[in-house]
Amino acid sequence: DAKTTQPTSMDCAEGRAANLPCNHSTISGNEYVYWYRQIHSQGPQYIIHGLKNNETNEMASLIITEDRKSSTLILPHATLRDTAVYYCIVRYHNTDKLIFGTGTRLQVFP
Amino acid sequence: GAGVSQSPSNKVTEKGKDVELRCDPISGHTALYWYRQSLGQGLEFLIYFQGNSAPDKSGLPSDRFSAERTGGSVSTLTIQRTQQEDSAVYLCASSQGGGQGNGYTFGSGTRLTVV
């Protein structure tokens, strides 16, 4: 089972891009990378996922390295409401089960 | 429904009592998951239901924990003879399932306090 490594915490100034790294060096070719976030006292919220190609949606962009051993979640213009714990997860092959790690606590400051 | 609904939102119980936590998934979602989150910790996987398949119970911490999903919809997580270490937020999520990688939708959780 591929595991992920994320920094424990990060800071970002409001209006700047937040770049959250994730290492998943043991990922296999058919495992997806998922990102979720959890704002205090709420259930986690799906952000984005990808396999090989970079992905973008209304919330964020996901950049996956060519060797797939790491990825970066980008919030292009962070706001105070983006303060949350961000989880990088590798989805088990052929199941929908997601195993959450400890995540990165992102603090956006004014 | 529009989202995943969990009840009760808060539950305080005495040590040794049994509790039942309920989850109503999004209509049409075939996959349902239970997680728990202790204070300041990440999410711990408990159990996963996919359609009519046998559930994946690999995350249940002890035989005091069980879950069922009736009619492929509502799920109940039961904790017997509760202990203080069972105090946590219990989160339920659902997804379209089928191994297609669709995102989960989480409920707001049930905060369980064992005194």
Side-chain angles (χ1 to χ4, degrees):
Chain A
D1 304 332
K3 292 194 172 23
T4 62
T5 305
Q6 298 177 254
T8 304
S9 64
M10 294 182 64
D11 291 338
C12 179
E14 189 177 20
R16 304 297 294 269
N19 297 285
L20 292 93
C22 180
N23 287 323
H24 30 78
S25 58
T26 60
I27 194 170
S28 64
N30 50 13
E31 291 182 311
Y32 288 78
V33 179
Y34 278 74
W35 283 84
Y36 280 74
R37 73 179 181 183
Q38 187 174 26
I39 296 170
H40 183 62
S41 299
Q42 298 181 19
Q45 175 191 24
Y46 166 80
I47 301 173
I48 200 167
H49 74 278
L51 182 63
K52 298 179 185 177
N53 300 321
N54 298 337
E55 302 287 345
T56 296
N57 63 21
E58 64 277 6
M59 290 183 69
S61 294
L62 174 60
I63 308 299
I64 302 174
T65 58
E66 191 170 344
D67 63 7
R68 301 187 70 244
K69 293 186 177 181
S70 66
S71 60
T72 301
L73 179 75
I74 301 172
L75 308 178
H77 306 287
T79 70
L80 298 178
R81 288 183 299 228
D82 292 323
T83 293
V85 177
Y86 287 77
Y87 296 97
C88 170
I89 307 154
V90 172
R91 180 170 70 91
Y92 284 26
H93 172 55
N94 280 344
T95 82
D96 293 283
K97 183 168 75 175
L98 297 178
I99 301 299
F100 288 74
T102 54
T104 295
R105 184 171 299 276
L106 175 68
Q107 179 70 53
V108 181
F109 59 91
Chain B
V4 176
S5 177
Q6 292 188 246
S7 60
S9 55
N10 280 284
K11 176 72 176 179
V12 179
T13 190
E14 292 181 352
K15 178 181 174 181
K17 300 284 189 183
D18 298 352
V19 294
E20 286 189 352
L21 311 179
R22 177 186 168 104
C23 173
D24 281 278
I26 290 175
S27 178
H29 278 190
T30 61
L32 186 148
Y33 319 81
W34 283 98
Y35 292 81
R36 75 174 174 181
Q37 188 169 34
S38 300
L39 187 63
Q41 303 298 310
L43 279 76
E44 176 187 3
F45 168 78
L46 296 178
I47 189 169
Y48 156 45
F49 296 89
Q50 171 57 63
N52 296 321
S53 302
D56 177 347
K57 305 179 182 179
S58 60
L60 294 179
S62 77
D63 58 8
R64 296 187 296 105
F65 288 73
S66 64
E68 63 178 20
R69 188 177 185 194
T70 54
S73 181
V74 172
S75 177
T76 302
L77 177 70
T78 301
I79 308 173
Q80 296 178 309
R81 306 181 301 281
T82 52
Q83 303 295 313
Q84 288 185 329
E85 60 263 28
D86 299 334
S87 296
V89 176
Y90 288 81
L91 290 158
C92 175
S94 70
S95 75
Q96 291 179 330
Q100 297 304 307
N102 297 298
Y104 289 11
T105 300
F106 277 85
S108 298
T110 294
R111 181 175 299 278
L112 175 66
T113 304
V114 182
V115 297

